[in-house]
Amino acid sequence: ADKVDFARKHFEQSIPVTDVFAMDECIDIIGVTKGHGFKGVTSRWHTKKLPRKTHKGLRKVACIGAWHPSRIQYTVPRAGQKGYHHRTEINKKIYRIGEGYKMKDGKLIKNNAATEYDLADKSINPMGGFPHYGEVKQDFIMIKGACIGHKKRLLTLRKSLLTLTKRRYNEKVSLKFIDTSSKFGHGRFQTPADKAAFMGPLKKDKKE
């Protein structure tokens, strides 16, 4: 009943992420992995390729089972769908819960990637934006490691179901530096100001 009341009370309310998760907490991420379509055994199960001179192809499984039992066992690698599977990844540590762009005293505040050691006024977005996404302007969560699925794919974030006792799950992490160089090219500059200072005035910026 308390759960129902709680849910009813929060209908059509916006719940900020800070009310649910906290810094240095470990969470689980549920989603659908990146799809790769119909694939053969070499790509799908990483089986050994057969020798070069093999008849009728070499990206195959040489023996798919004994005469008896006269069925193919489920343990034998076969071709089929690879990716686009529902998966749950556990124990993703939250490194930072950042605020989105906000107005303060008539100014747009963007420095949500600054740290104690790197006081540069920069946002979490790399130069040129995140590839195939764009710019993050709302609140965000930065987690350790990779995250399943494609860009823009919907994910479910969940509190960990386990009681985590190991030190690495409970230790406090203070980020020293967040790299905001371009993720699309060589990535030499951290901010547009750095680029302008290094390159000098460019032809495209010249006023007519």
Side-chain angles (χ1 to χ4, degrees):
D2 293 345
K3 278 186 184 177
V4 175
D5 295 341
F6 176 82
R8 180 117 184 256
K9 198 170 69 183
H10 286 85
F11 274 163
E12 297 184 356
Q13 307 288 325
S14 58
I15 302 176
V17 69
T18 45
D19 286 6
V20 186
F21 299 120
M23 281 275 291
D24 301 310
E25 185 183 356
C26 281
I27 61 174
D28 300 346
I29 294 186
I30 305 163
V32 177
T33 59
K34 198 183 281 191
H36 295 278
F38 194 100
K39 289 284 192 180
V41 285
T42 309
S43 170
R44 192 180 185 213
W45 298 106
H46 307 295
T47 55
K48 193 88 169 156
K49 278 168 69 179
L50 301 177
R52 181 185 59 82
K53 289 168 74 89
T54 311
H55 181 53
K56 288 191 176 174
L58 46 85
R59 293 172 67 91
K60 295 175 174 295
V61 172
C63 173
I64 58 170
W67 191 319
H68 288 294
S70 52
R71 292 169 296 285
I72 295 181
Q73 291 178 309
Y74 77 94
T75 52
V76 178
R78 308 289 286 171
Q81 171 69 28
K82 180 183 178 185
Y84 207 62
H85 305 305
H86 186 271
R87 294 286 181 267
T88 302
E89 289 199 320
I90 63 169
N91 298 348
K92 297 283 185 190
K93 196 172 183 71
I94 295 179
Y95 275 171
R96 170 168 289 204
I97 297 179
E99 288 186 325
Y101 292 177
K102 60 182 190 290
M103 296 297 286
K104 189 176 180 185
D105 303 335
K107 276 189 184 153
L108 186 63
I109 305 291
K110 290 185 178 182
N111 68 335
N112 50 18
T115 60
E116 289 176 24
Y117 298 88
D118 176 32
L119 298 170
D121 180 22
K122 60 182 184 179
S123 79
I124 196 71
N125 297 298
M127 297 269 292
F130 287 99
H132 299 100
Y133 180 85
E135 294 210 334
V136 174
K137 296 180 180 176
Q138 275 73 35
D139 297 355
F140 64 89
I141 285 186
M142 184 194 283
I143 57 164
K144 179 182 179 179
C147 160
I148 51 178
H150 211 275
K151 273 75 166 176
K152 303 185 186 177
R153 182 154 291 169
L154 200 65
L155 296 173
T156 307
L157 307 182
R158 176 183 80 184
K159 291 273 201 187
S160 179
L161 303 181
L162 309 170
T163 308
L164 301 171
T165 52
K166 284 193 174 171
R167 200 178 76 188
R168 70 165 178 218
Y169 295 135
N170 298 319
E171 66 187 354
K172 294 271 180 283
V173 172
S174 65
L175 299 178
K176 289 196 171 181
F177 177 73
I178 297 173
D179 180 32
T180 55
S181 62
S182 172
K183 303 291 170 256
F184 213 81
H186 291 294
R188 292 164 62 193
F189 308 109
Q190 291 294 320
T191 58
D194 287 0
K195 184 175 181 179
F198 181 82
M199 305 285 266
L202 298 174
K203 191 175 176 184
K204 64 178 181 182
D205 302 329
K206 194 165 74 172
K207 301 277 191 297
E208 290 299 325

PDB file of all heavy atoms in Angstrom, residues 61-93:
ATOM      1  N   VAL A  61      31.520 -24.908 -38.757  1.00  0.00           N
ATOM      2  CA  VAL A  61      31.872 -25.884 -37.722  1.00  0.00           C
ATOM      3  C   VAL A  61      32.042 -27.220 -38.440  1.00  0.00           C
ATOM      4  O   VAL A  61      31.153 -27.653 -39.170  1.00  0.00           O
ATOM      5  CB  VAL A  61      30.768 -25.969 -36.653  1.00  0.00           C
ATOM      6  CG1 VAL A  61      31.042 -27.115 -35.699  1.00  0.00           C
ATOM      7  CG2 VAL A  61      30.679 -24.666 -35.899  1.00  0.00           C
ATOM      8  N   ALA A  62      33.209 -27.860 -38.247  1.00  0.00           N
ATOM      9  CA  ALA A  62      33.515 -29.067 -39.020  1.00  0.00           C
ATOM     10  C   ALA A  62      32.594 -30.220 -38.647  1.00  0.00           C
ATOM     11  O   ALA A  62      32.053 -30.902 -39.517  1.00  0.00           O
ATOM     12  CB  ALA A  62      34.967 -29.454 -38.793  1.00  0.00           C
ATOM     13  N   CYS A  63      32.395 -30.445 -37.365  1.00  0.00           N
ATOM     14  CA  CYS A  63      31.563 -31.570 -36.939  1.00  0.00           C
ATOM     15  C   CYS A  63      30.480 -31.028 -36.006  1.00  0.00           C
ATOM     16  O   CYS A  63      30.799 -30.422 -34.985  1.00  0.00           O
ATOM     17  CB  CYS A  63      32.415 -32.596 -36.193  1.00  0.00           C
ATOM     18  SG  CYS A  63      31.437 -33.910 -35.469  1.00  0.00           S
ATOM     19  N   ILE A  64      29.229 -31.220 -36.383  1.00  0.00           N
ATOM     20  CA  ILE A  64      28.161 -30.668 -35.535  1.00  0.00           C
ATOM     21  C   ILE A  64      27.552 -31.725 -34.618  1.00  0.00           C
ATOM     22  O   ILE A  64      26.494 -31.511 -34.059  1.00  0.00           O
ATOM     23  CB  ILE A  64      27.069 -29.982 -36.387  1.00  0.00           C
ATOM     24  CG1 ILE A  64      26.460 -30.927 -37.389  1.00  0.00           C
ATOM     25  CG2 ILE A  64      27.601 -28.734 -37.056  1.00  0.00           C
ATOM     26  CD1 ILE A  64      25.229 -30.363 -38.069  1.00  0.00           C
ATOM     27  N   GLY A  65      28.267 -32.848 -34.463  1.00  0.00           N
ATOM     28  CA  GLY A  65      27.813 -33.815 -33.468  1.00  0.00           C
ATOM     29  C   GLY A  65      28.008 -35.253 -33.922  1.00  0.00           C
ATOM     30  O   GLY A  65      28.267 -35.537 -35.090  1.00  0.00           O
ATOM     31  N   ALA A  66      27.871 -36.180 -32.985  1.00  0.00           N
ATOM     32  CA  ALA A  66      28.041 -37.617 -33.253  1.00  0.00           C
ATOM     33  C   ALA A  66      26.811 -38.181 -33.970  1.00  0.00           C
ATOM     34  O   ALA A  66      25.781 -37.522 -34.098  1.00  0.00           O
ATOM     35  CB  ALA A  66      28.250 -38.344 -31.937  1.00  0.00           C
ATOM     36  N   TRP A  67      26.923 -39.415 -34.442  1.00  0.00           N
ATOM     37  CA  TRP A  67      25.786 -40.077 -35.116  1.00  0.00           C
ATOM     38  C   TRP A  67      24.620 -40.205 -34.136  1.00  0.00           C
ATOM     39  O   TRP A  67      23.489 -39.886 -34.447  1.00  0.00           O
ATOM     40  CB  TRP A  67      26.252 -41.451 -35.609  1.00  0.00           C
ATOM     41  CG  TRP A  67      25.306 -42.136 -36.540  1.00  0.00           C
ATOM     42  CD1 TRP A  67      23.946 -42.197 -36.451  1.00  0.00           C
ATOM     43  CD2 TRP A  67      25.658 -42.847 -37.726  1.00  0.00           C
ATOM     44  NE1 TRP A  67      23.425 -42.896 -37.491  1.00  0.00           N
ATOM     45  CE2 TRP A  67      24.452 -43.323 -38.287  1.00  0.00           C
ATOM     46  CE3 TRP A  67      26.876 -43.149 -38.357  1.00  0.00           C
ATOM     47  CZ2 TRP A  67      24.427 -44.079 -39.462  1.00  0.00           C
ATOM     48  CZ3 TRP A  67      26.832 -43.910 -39.509  1.00  0.00           C
ATOM     49  CH2 TRP A  67      25.623 -44.359 -40.068  1.00  0.00           C
ATOM     50  N   HIS A  68      24.951 -40.708 -32.925  1.00  0.00           N
ATOM     51  CA  HIS A  68      23.930 -40.789 -31.883  1.00  0.00           C
ATOM     52  C   HIS A  68      24.390 -39.979 -30.682  1.00  0.00           C
ATOM     53  O   HIS A  68      25.552 -40.007 -30.348  1.00  0.00           O
ATOM     54  CB  HIS A  68      23.724 -42.250 -31.456  1.00  0.00           C
ATOM     55  CG  HIS A  68      23.021 -43.059 -32.502  1.00  0.00           C
ATOM     56  ND1 HIS A  68      21.719 -42.833 -32.868  1.00  0.00           N
ATOM     57  CD2 HIS A  68      23.473 -44.071 -33.283  1.00  0.00           C
ATOM     58  CE1 HIS A  68      21.396 -43.679 -33.827  1.00  0.00           C
ATOM     59  NE2 HIS A  68      22.442 -44.452 -34.100  1.00  0.00           N
ATOM     60  N   PRO A  69      23.538 -39.247 -30.007  1.00  0.00           N
ATOM     61  CA  PRO A  69      22.102 -39.076 -30.268  1.00  0.00           C
ATOM     62  C   PRO A  69      21.877 -38.393 -31.614  1.00  0.00           C
ATOM     63  O   PRO A  69      22.576 -37.437 -31.927  1.00  0.00           O
ATOM     64  CB  PRO A  69      21.642 -38.172 -29.109  1.00  0.00           C
ATOM     65  CG  PRO A  69      22.874 -37.457 -28.684  1.00  0.00           C
ATOM     66  CD  PRO A  69      24.004 -38.390 -28.897  1.00  0.00           C
ATOM     67  N   SER A  70      20.924 -38.873 -32.382  1.00  0.00           N
ATOM     68  CA  SER A  70      20.755 -38.406 -33.758  1.00  0.00           C
ATOM     69  C   SER A  70      19.963 -37.092 -33.810  1.00  0.00           C
ATOM     70  O   SER A  70      18.954 -36.981 -34.486  1.00  0.00           O
ATOM     71  CB  SER A  70      20.069 -39.479 -34.589  1.00  0.00           C
ATOM     72  OG  SER A  70      18.898 -39.901 -33.936  1.00  0.00           O
ATOM     73  N   ARG A  71      20.419 -36.167 -32.996  1.00  0.00           N
ATOM     74  CA  ARG A  71      19.871 -34.809 -32.977  1.00  0.00           C
ATOM     75  C   ARG A  71      21.037 -33.857 -32.784  1.00  0.00           C
ATOM     76  O   ARG A  71      22.083 -34.270 -32.266  1.00  0.00           O
ATOM     77  CB  ARG A  71      18.885 -34.625 -31.818  1.00  0.00           C
ATOM     78  CG  ARG A  71      17.611 -35.410 -31.955  1.00  0.00           C
ATOM     79  CD  ARG A  71      16.798 -35.397 -30.681  1.00  0.00           C
ATOM     80  NE  ARG A  71      17.473 -36.049 -29.546  1.00  0.00           N
ATOM     81  CZ  ARG A  71      17.600 -37.360 -29.406  1.00  0.00           C
ATOM     82  NH1 ARG A  71      17.107 -38.198 -30.317  1.00  0.00           N
ATOM     83  NH2 ARG A  71      18.198 -37.867 -28.349  1.00  0.00           N
ATOM     84  N   ILE A  72      20.843 -32.633 -33.153  1.00  0.00           N
ATOM     85  CA  ILE A  72      21.892 -31.636 -32.889  1.00  0.00           C
ATOM     86  C   ILE A  72      21.678 -31.094 -31.484  1.00  0.00           C
ATOM     87  O   ILE A  72      20.568 -30.683 -31.133  1.00  0.00           O
ATOM     88  CB  ILE A  72      21.853 -30.504 -33.924  1.00  0.00           C
ATOM     89  CG1 ILE A  72      22.197 -31.061 -35.294  1.00  0.00           C
ATOM     90  CG2 ILE A  72      22.819 -29.389 -33.544  1.00  0.00           C
ATOM     91  CD1 ILE A  72      22.229 -30.052 -36.398  1.00  0.00           C
ATOM     92  N   GLN A  73      22.740 -31.124 -30.678  1.00  0.00           N
ATOM     93  CA  GLN A  73      22.616 -30.649 -29.302  1.00  0.00           C
ATOM     94  C   GLN A  73      22.637 -29.123 -29.256  1.00  0.00           C
ATOM     95  O   GLN A  73      23.200 -28.474 -30.129  1.00  0.00           O
ATOM     96  CB  GLN A  73      23.750 -31.230 -28.460  1.00  0.00           C
ATOM     97  CG  GLN A  73      23.594 -32.736 -28.273  1.00  0.00           C
ATOM     98  CD  GLN A  73      24.744 -33.305 -27.479  1.00  0.00           C
ATOM     99  OE1 GLN A  73      25.896 -33.064 -27.803  1.00  0.00           O
ATOM    100  NE2 GLN A  73      24.442 -34.044 -26.439  1.00  0.00           N
ATOM    101  N   TYR A  74      22.045 -28.584 -28.217  1.00  0.00           N
ATOM    102  CA  TYR A  74      21.942 -27.122 -28.115  1.00  0.00           C
ATOM    103  C   TYR A  74      23.309 -26.462 -27.895  1.00  0.00           C
ATOM    104  O   TYR A  74      23.462 -25.262 -28.109  1.00  0.00           O
ATOM    105  CB  TYR A  74      20.977 -26.746 -26.974  1.00  0.00           C
ATOM    106  CG  TYR A  74      21.565 -26.888 -25.591  1.00  0.00           C
ATOM    107  CD1 TYR A  74      22.161 -25.810 -24.947  1.00  0.00           C
ATOM    108  CD2 TYR A  74      21.539 -28.115 -24.917  1.00  0.00           C
ATOM    109  CE1 TYR A  74      22.700 -25.939 -23.688  1.00  0.00           C
ATOM    110  CE2 TYR A  74      22.080 -28.264 -23.667  1.00  0.00           C
ATOM    111  CZ  TYR A  74      22.665 -27.158 -23.048  1.00  0.00           C
ATOM    112  OH  TYR A  74      23.217 -27.278 -21.799  1.00  0.00           O
ATOM    113  N   THR A  75      24.303 -27.257 -27.483  1.00  0.00           N
ATOM    114  CA  THR A  75      25.631 -26.697 -27.206  1.00  0.00           C
ATOM    115  C   THR A  75      26.463 -26.476 -28.464  1.00  0.00           C
ATOM    116  O   THR A  75      27.542 -25.896 -28.383  1.00  0.00           O
ATOM    117  CB  THR A  75      26.409 -27.642 -26.275  1.00  0.00           C
ATOM    118  OG1 THR A  75      26.373 -28.958 -26.846  1.00  0.00           O
ATOM    119  CG2 THR A  75      25.792 -27.693 -24.903  1.00  0.00           C
ATOM    120  N   VAL A  76      25.979 -26.940 -29.623  1.00  0.00           N
ATOM    121  CA  VAL A  76      26.761 -26.825 -30.861  1.00  0.00           C
ATOM    122  C   VAL A  76      26.538 -25.442 -31.474  1.00  0.00           C
ATOM    123  O   VAL A  76      25.389 -25.022 -31.636  1.00  0.00           O
ATOM    124  CB  VAL A  76      26.340 -27.928 -31.865  1.00  0.00           C
ATOM    125  CG1 VAL A  76      27.109 -27.777 -33.168  1.00  0.00           C
ATOM    126  CG2 VAL A  76      26.556 -29.300 -31.267  1.00  0.00           C
ATOM    127  N   PRO A  77      27.616 -24.712 -31.788  1.00  0.00           N
ATOM    128  CA  PRO A  77      27.445 -23.383 -32.386  1.00  0.00           C
ATOM    129  C   PRO A  77      26.789 -23.473 -33.762  1.00  0.00           C
ATOM    130  O   PRO A  77      27.185 -24.302 -34.586  1.00  0.00           O
ATOM    131  CB  PRO A  77      28.878 -22.849 -32.506  1.00  0.00           C
ATOM    132  CG  PRO A  77      29.739 -23.780 -31.756  1.00  0.00           C
ATOM    133  CD  PRO A  77      29.019 -25.062 -31.607  1.00  0.00           C
ATOM    134  N   ARG A  78      25.789 -22.622 -34.001  1.00  0.00           N
ATOM    135  CA  ARG A  78      25.106 -22.566 -35.291  1.00  0.00           C
ATOM    136  C   ARG A  78      24.998 -21.110 -35.732  1.00  0.00           C
ATOM    137  O   ARG A  78      25.102 -20.189 -34.918  1.00  0.00           O
ATOM    138  CB  ARG A  78      23.685 -23.136 -35.186  1.00  0.00           C
ATOM    139  CG  ARG A  78      23.578 -24.500 -34.566  1.00  0.00           C
ATOM    140  CD  ARG A  78      24.113 -25.589 -35.451  1.00  0.00           C
ATOM    141  NE  ARG A  78      23.179 -25.848 -36.539  1.00  0.00           N
ATOM    142  CZ  ARG A  78      23.454 -26.630 -37.573  1.00  0.00           C
ATOM    143  NH1 ARG A  78      24.634 -27.213 -37.642  1.00  0.00           N
ATOM    144  NH2 ARG A  78      22.575 -26.827 -38.520  1.00  0.00           N
ATOM    145  N   ALA A  79      24.729 -20.892 -37.001  1.00  0.00           N
ATOM    146  CA  ALA A  79      24.523 -19.537 -37.502  1.00  0.00           C
ATOM    147  C   ALA A  79      23.171 -19.014 -37.028  1.00  0.00           C
ATOM    148  O   ALA A  79      22.264 -19.793 -36.741  1.00  0.00           O
ATOM    149  CB  ALA A  79      24.585 -19.538 -39.024  1.00  0.00           C
ATOM    150  N   GLY A  80      23.036 -17.701 -36.941  1.00  0.00           N
ATOM    151  CA  GLY A  80      21.748 -17.127 -36.528  1.00  0.00           C
ATOM    152  C   GLY A  80      21.913 -15.673 -36.110  1.00  0.00           C
ATOM    153  O   GLY A  80      22.904 -15.024 -36.431  1.00  0.00           O
ATOM    154  N   GLN A  81      20.932 -15.175 -35.368  1.00  0.00           N
ATOM    155  CA  GLN A  81      20.904 -13.774 -34.953  1.00  0.00           C
ATOM    156  C   GLN A  81      22.035 -13.469 -33.976  1.00  0.00           C
ATOM    157  O   GLN A  81      22.252 -14.199 -33.012  1.00  0.00           O
ATOM    158  CB  GLN A  81      19.557 -13.477 -34.284  1.00  0.00           C
ATOM    159  CG  GLN A  81      19.453 -12.118 -33.618  1.00  0.00           C
ATOM    160  CD  GLN A  81      19.449 -10.962 -34.588  1.00  0.00           C
ATOM    161  OE1 GLN A  81      19.013 -11.121 -35.725  1.00  0.00           O
ATOM    162  NE2 GLN A  81      19.929  -9.819 -34.166  1.00  0.00           N
ATOM    163  N   LYS A  82      22.751 -12.369 -34.246  1.00  0.00           N
ATOM    164  CA  LYS A  82      23.798 -11.904 -33.329  1.00  0.00           C
ATOM    165  C   LYS A  82      23.449 -10.493 -32.880  1.00  0.00           C
ATOM    166  O   LYS A  82      23.180  -9.624 -33.703  1.00  0.00           O
ATOM    167  CB  LYS A  82      25.158 -11.902 -34.028  1.00  0.00           C
ATOM    168  CG  LYS A  82      26.289 -11.422 -33.136  1.00  0.00           C
ATOM    169  CD  LYS A  82      27.610 -11.355 -33.876  1.00  0.00           C
ATOM    170  CE  LYS A  82      28.699 -10.834 -32.962  1.00  0.00           C
ATOM    171  NZ  LYS A  82      29.973 -10.644 -33.644  1.00  0.00           N
ATOM    172  N   GLY A  83      23.438 -10.267 -31.602  1.00  0.00           N
ATOM    173  CA  GLY A  83      23.119  -8.940 -31.085  1.00  0.00           C
ATOM    174  C   GLY A  83      21.616  -8.692 -31.049  1.00  0.00           C
ATOM    175  O   GLY A  83      20.811  -9.541 -31.433  1.00  0.00           O
ATOM    176  N   TYR A  84      21.250  -7.503 -30.567  1.00  0.00           N
ATOM    177  CA  TYR A  84      19.859  -7.117 -30.339  1.00  0.00           C
ATOM    178  C   TYR A  84      19.218  -8.053 -29.315  1.00  0.00           C
ATOM    179  O   TYR A  84      18.093  -8.510 -29.457  1.00  0.00           O
ATOM    180  CB  TYR A  84      19.062  -7.100 -31.643  1.00  0.00           C
ATOM    181  CG  TYR A  84      17.888  -6.135 -31.605  1.00  0.00           C
ATOM    182  CD1 TYR A  84      18.101  -4.776 -31.440  1.00  0.00           C
ATOM    183  CD2 TYR A  84      16.571  -6.581 -31.718  1.00  0.00           C
ATOM    184  CE1 TYR A  84      17.047  -3.886 -31.391  1.00  0.00           C
ATOM    185  CE2 TYR A  84      15.503  -5.698 -31.670  1.00  0.00           C
ATOM    186  CZ  TYR A  84      15.752  -4.361 -31.503  1.00  0.00           C
ATOM    187  OH  TYR A  84      14.703  -3.469 -31.448  1.00  0.00           O
ATOM    188  N   HIS A  85      20.001  -8.354 -28.262  1.00  0.00           N
ATOM    189  CA  HIS A  85      19.520  -9.226 -27.186  1.00  0.00           C
ATOM    190  C   HIS A  85      19.313  -8.384 -25.922  1.00  0.00           C
ATOM    191  O   HIS A  85      20.034  -7.419 -25.689  1.00  0.00           O
ATOM    192  CB  HIS A  85      20.545 -10.317 -26.858  1.00  0.00           C
ATOM    193  CG  HIS A  85      20.960 -11.136 -28.043  1.00  0.00           C
ATOM    194  ND1 HIS A  85      20.052 -11.792 -28.846  1.00  0.00           N
ATOM    195  CD2 HIS A  85      22.179 -11.413 -28.559  1.00  0.00           C
ATOM    196  CE1 HIS A  85      20.702 -12.426 -29.802  1.00  0.00           C
ATOM    197  NE2 HIS A  85      21.991 -12.215 -29.656  1.00  0.00           N
ATOM    198  N   HIS A  86      18.370  -8.797 -25.121  1.00  0.00           N
ATOM    199  CA  HIS A  86      18.094  -8.117 -23.853  1.00  0.00           C
ATOM    200  C   HIS A  86      19.134  -8.555 -22.824  1.00  0.00           C
ATOM    201  O   HIS A  86      19.316  -9.749 -22.610  1.00  0.00           O
ATOM    202  CB  HIS A  86      16.689  -8.506 -23.385  1.00  0.00           C
ATOM    203  CG  HIS A  86      16.238  -7.769 -22.162  1.00  0.00           C
ATOM    204  ND1 HIS A  86      16.488  -8.211 -20.897  1.00  0.00           N
ATOM    205  CD2 HIS A  86      15.561  -6.616 -22.018  1.00  0.00           C
ATOM    206  CE1 HIS A  86      15.978  -7.354 -20.025  1.00  0.00           C
ATOM    207  NE2 HIS A  86      15.403  -6.378 -20.683  1.00  0.00           N
ATOM    208  N   ARG A  87      19.822  -7.620 -22.239  1.00  0.00           N
ATOM    209  CA  ARG A  87      20.895  -7.951 -21.294  1.00  0.00           C
ATOM    210  C   ARG A  87      20.848  -7.029 -20.077  1.00  0.00           C
ATOM    211  O   ARG A  87      20.382  -5.890 -20.168  1.00  0.00           O
ATOM    212  CB  ARG A  87      22.275  -7.795 -21.957  1.00  0.00           C
ATOM    213  CG  ARG A  87      22.543  -8.788 -23.083  1.00  0.00           C
ATOM    214  CD  ARG A  87      22.821 -10.173 -22.515  1.00  0.00           C
ATOM    215  NE  ARG A  87      23.098 -11.142 -23.557  1.00  0.00           N
ATOM    216  CZ  ARG A  87      22.179 -11.920 -24.110  1.00  0.00           C
ATOM    217  NH1 ARG A  87      20.911 -11.805 -23.759  1.00  0.00           N
ATOM    218  NH2 ARG A  87      22.510 -12.814 -25.025  1.00  0.00           N
ATOM    219  N   THR A  88      21.400  -7.522 -18.967  1.00  0.00           N
ATOM    220  CA  THR A  88      21.548  -6.719 -17.759  1.00  0.00           C
ATOM    221  C   THR A  88      23.015  -6.710 -17.358  1.00  0.00           C
ATOM    222  O   THR A  88      23.604  -7.782 -17.179  1.00  0.00           O
ATOM    223  CB  THR A  88      20.710  -7.303 -16.602  1.00  0.00           C
ATOM    224  OG1 THR A  88      19.342  -7.360 -17.002  1.00  0.00           O
ATOM    225  CG2 THR A  88      20.830  -6.444 -15.361  1.00  0.00           C
ATOM    226  N   GLU A  89      23.584  -5.531 -17.238  1.00  0.00           N
ATOM    227  CA  GLU A  89      24.972  -5.413 -16.775  1.00  0.00           C
ATOM    228  C   GLU A  89      24.947  -4.863 -15.359  1.00  0.00           C
ATOM    229  O   GLU A  89      24.289  -3.839 -15.098  1.00  0.00           O
ATOM    230  CB  GLU A  89      25.769  -4.476 -17.687  1.00  0.00           C
ATOM    231  CG  GLU A  89      26.048  -5.068 -19.053  1.00  0.00           C
ATOM    232  CD  GLU A  89      27.195  -4.359 -19.764  1.00  0.00           C
ATOM    233  OE1 GLU A  89      27.252  -3.120 -19.666  1.00  0.00           O
ATOM    234  OE2 GLU A  89      28.003  -5.035 -20.402  1.00  0.00           O
ATOM    235  N   ILE A  90      25.667  -5.527 -14.465  1.00  0.00           N
ATOM    236  CA  ILE A  90      25.595  -5.126 -13.051  1.00  0.00           C
ATOM    237  C   ILE A  90      26.862  -4.379 -12.632  1.00  0.00           C
ATOM    238  O   ILE A  90      27.887  -4.434 -13.309  1.00  0.00           O
ATOM    239  CB  ILE A  90      25.352  -6.352 -12.130  1.00  0.00           C
ATOM    240  CG1 ILE A  90      26.521  -7.340 -12.211  1.00  0.00           C
ATOM    241  CG2 ILE A  90      24.053  -7.036 -12.477  1.00  0.00           C
ATOM    242  CD1 ILE A  90      26.467  -8.425 -11.149  1.00  0.00           C
ATOM    243  N   ASN A  91      26.736  -3.690 -11.518  1.00  0.00           N
ATOM    244  CA  ASN A  91      27.855  -3.017 -10.841  1.00  0.00           C
ATOM    245  C   ASN A  91      28.562  -1.984 -11.714  1.00  0.00           C
ATOM    246  O   ASN A  91      29.770  -2.023 -11.905  1.00  0.00           O
ATOM    247  CB  ASN A  91      28.879  -4.040 -10.330  1.00  0.00           C
ATOM    248  CG  ASN A  91      28.271  -4.980  -9.317  1.00  0.00           C
ATOM    249  OD1 ASN A  91      27.165  -4.736  -8.838  1.00  0.00           O
ATOM    250  ND2 ASN A  91      28.959  -6.047  -9.011  1.00  0.00           N
ATOM    251  N   LYS A  92      27.790  -1.050 -12.257  1.00  0.00           N
ATOM    252  CA  LYS A  92      28.359   0.090 -12.974  1.00  0.00           C
ATOM    253  C   LYS A  92      28.476   1.238 -11.979  1.00  0.00           C
ATOM    254  O   LYS A  92      27.463   1.718 -11.470  1.00  0.00           O
ATOM    255  CB  LYS A  92      27.450   0.508 -14.131  1.00  0.00           C
ATOM    256  CG  LYS A  92      27.296  -0.557 -15.185  1.00  0.00           C
ATOM    257  CD  LYS A  92      28.521  -0.592 -16.039  1.00  0.00           C
ATOM    258  CE  LYS A  92      28.392  -1.544 -17.191  1.00  0.00           C
ATOM    259  NZ  LYS A  92      29.661  -1.744 -17.860  1.00  0.00           N
ATOM    260  N   LYS A  93      29.705   1.651 -11.730  1.00  0.00           N
ATOM    261  CA  LYS A  93      29.915   2.694 -10.719  1.00  0.00           C
ATOM    262  C   LYS A  93      29.597   4.074 -11.289  1.00  0.00           C
ATOM    263  O   LYS A  93      29.988   4.386 -12.416  1.00  0.00           O
ATOM    264  CB  LYS A  93      31.359   2.651 -10.238  1.00  0.00           C
ATOM    265  CG  LYS A  93      31.582   3.417  -8.941  1.00  0.00           C
ATOM    266  CD  LYS A  93      32.979   3.162  -8.422  1.00  0.00           C
ATOM    267  CE  LYS A  93      33.236   3.827  -7.101  1.00  0.00           C
ATOM    268  NZ  LYS A  93      32.516   3.205  -6.009  1.00  0.00           N
TER     269      LYS A  93
END
